[in-house]
Amino acid sequence: MLTDKFDRTFPYLRLSITEVCNFSCQYCLPNGYQKSNGPSFLSQDEINRLVDAFIELGVWKIRLTGGEPSIRKDFTDIARMIAAKPGIETMAFTTNGYKLKENAQTWRDAGLNAINISIDSLNAKKFHQITGHNRMAEIRDGIDKAIEVGFDKIKINVVLLKAINDDELDLYLDYVKDTPVSVRYIELMQTGDNLHYFNKYHLSAEHIKTQLIERGWVENIRAIGAGPAVNFSHSDYAGSIGLIAPYSKDFCSGCNRLRITSTGDLRLCLFGNVGVPLRHMLQNDDQKEDLKAAIAKQLNYKASTHFLAMGDTGILSNLSSTGG
Ligand code: SAM
Ligand code: SF4
């Protein structure tokens, strides 16, 4: 298993397969995706070799992300290829849900078993305002479909935005009363592109935590190897609520993930200052041992924490290139 100097282990890989997205979320791609003349996104063959190396290094959970991963025409083929590999226990993806309703069954059949769907507001108008798309109702239908076709783990990502959606906790609680999903509030993160937006709309997740406790929700004991989310449950509710607070003390001590950008750079941290190019080692099957050695070596350089609180966002311009 990949281990760093701080005894953190890394069973989890987040793999961005495209930067392209059809939404224009205010905090991520406010002007929509702008085509660049940069390198192409990783091919299926390159992804295949990359994943094989990571599995041999102990990875058992892979999340496809982006951009919007389902925008790639070969998204289902990529998912099927990875899910079929011995050693993969959790085959996950994060999506804005725009194709979920029609594809949930196909994706489940392809071997995807965990899904995160972003839905930043349960108010249709606000959803439109945040994402640029008036599609909240159809995305909610997609979530119903994902439950129906038997995804094991369904999480709803909500980026907490001051004075935009910070008054919606009770709507989300109503939603999880009978719906067995985990809603996760994510604190807005500063990136290279969104400083002004961040300053205006960032709100600490403590705001939600206080309200949960007032409403009788209980913080769960943290499982060994669990990621950075702090989870709350309530015996009267089918679903749960999680808080992801990257600015909180100790957030990084639970780090269990590595990231690969859509063009094949290893990122040790979402907010790190270095991207380590791996693509040149993804060209032939006989490069696998070199690739594994290069990845393992990089773990020595993983810092104990990010420096977000000091406004250092590293080389990240927005989350569409690296995935959230
Ligand atoms: N397009 C897909 C989606 O939106 O679910 C997957 C990629 S998106 C970059 C992954 C997650 O990152 C989403 O839940 C999104 O809301 C979140 N995200 C993007 N930018 C963010 C930021 N600046 N702060 C916090 N979360 C962010
Ligand atoms: Fe697209 Fe996801 Fe970024 Fe929204 S958060 S613009 S859906 S990549």
Side-chain angles (χ1 to χ4, degrees):
M1 176 71 78
L2 288 165
T3 307
D4 73 0
K5 288 186 301 196
F6 308 98
D7 279 339
R8 295 174 297 192
T9 53
F10 298 90
Y12 179 13
L13 180 69
R14 288 194 171 189
L15 175 54
S16 175
I17 57 172
T18 181
E19 281 179 32
V20 180
C21 187
N22 54 333
F23 277 24
S24 42
C25 300
Q26 291 174 338
Y27 47 79
C28 182
L29 293 173
N31 303 313
Y33 170 71
Q34 308 291 319
K35 199 170 168 13
S36 81
N37 289 325
S40 60
F41 305 126
L42 290 177
S43 69
Q44 257 192 71
D45 281 347
E46 289 169 326
I47 292 172
N48 189 26
R49 294 186 187 109
L50 182 86
V51 167
D52 280 346
F54 272 102
I55 291 175
E56 290 187 18
L57 291 167
V59 163
W60 52 261
K61 173 173 178 177
I62 296 196
R63 174 177 304 282
L64 298 179
T65 181
E68 175 48 42
S70 68
I71 226 161
R72 255 183 88 145
K73 289 203 172 62
D74 56 356
F75 170 72
T76 307
D77 296 333
I78 293 170
R80 188 182 294 109
M81 169 184 84
I82 300 176
K85 290 183 185 292
I88 293 298
E89 289 176 29
T90 305
M91 185 61 222
F93 68 118
T94 303
T95 178
N96 62 25
Y98 89 107
K99 275 192 192 162
L100 184 56
K101 192 175 165 192
E102 64 201 88
N103 287 305
Q105 184 71 63
T106 308
W107 291 340
R108 184 72 191 95
D109 293 345
L112 285 155
N113 56 10
I115 174 169
N116 285 17
I117 305 128
S118 302
I119 183 155
D120 290 335
S121 176
L122 291 177
N123 170 313
K125 256 193 179 158
K126 284 191 196 172
F127 181 92
H128 189 175
Q129 176 195 347
I130 298 167
T131 63
H133 284 256
N134 187 12
R135 300 173 88 156
M136 189 204 68
E138 72 189 81
I139 288 161
R140 281 187 64 159
D141 289 347
I143 298 170
D144 291 345
K145 189 75 191 170
I147 296 170
E148 187 190 313
V149 304
F151 275 88
D152 308 333
K153 289 182 199 141
I154 302 182
K155 293 179 183 163
I156 310 297
N157 287 356
V158 183
V159 178
L160 180 62
L161 301 167
K162 183 159 65 186
I164 298 183
N165 65 4
D166 58 358
D167 57 352
E168 289 193 34
L169 178 63
D170 287 323
L171 289 180
Y172 284 99
L173 293 184
D174 283 351
Y175 183 59
V176 298
K177 185 97 175 68
D178 302 309
T179 315
V181 299
S182 172
V183 167
R184 289 133 48 94
Y185 275 98
I186 307 172
E187 268 184 26
L188 178 64
M189 294 177 250
Q190 185 187 333
T191 64
D193 287 350
N194 76 2
L195 179 60
H196 177 70
Y197 190 88
F198 173 82
N199 286 337
K200 194 162 173 195
Y201 295 112
H202 175 261
L203 180 65
S204 163
E206 285 292 314
H207 172 76
I208 299 294
K209 183 175 176 177
T210 311
Q211 294 180 60
L212 285 171
I213 292 168
E214 279 168 10
R215 288 161 174 72
W217 284 70
V218 177
E219 186 173 331
N220 299 349
I221 294 167
R222 219 180 159 72
I224 295 169
V230 177
N231 292 304
F232 289 78
S233 52
H234 191 301
S235 53
D236 296 342
Y237 290 75
S240 63
I241 304 283
L243 304 180
I244 300 182
Y247 292 87
S248 66
K249 192 169 121 340
D250 291 341
F251 180 76
C252 300
S253 61
C255 185
N256 62 355
R257 63 212 50 199
L258 296 170
R259 293 180 158 86
I260 298 286
T261 67
S262 51
T263 54
D265 284 5
L266 171 68
R267 293 276 173 89
L268 297 170
C269 172
L270 193 51
F271 301 100
N273 279 305
V274 194
V276 184
L278 298 179
R279 195 168 201 172
H280 61 285
M281 285 183 271
L282 300 175
Q283 304 312 310
N284 292 300
D285 293 343
D286 58 13
Q287 291 175 295
K288 186 157 69 180
E289 292 309 315
D290 290 345
L291 176 63
K292 281 164 58 185
I295 297 166
K297 184 174 163 209
Q298 284 303 319
L299 265 287
N300 294 319
Y301 305 116
K302 185 165 162 73
S304 64
T305 180
H306 59 60
F307 299 98
L308 260 189
M310 289 145 75
D312 182 354
T313 57
I315 52 174
L316 182 75
S317 45
N318 59 61
L319 262 66
S320 76
S321 54
T322 328

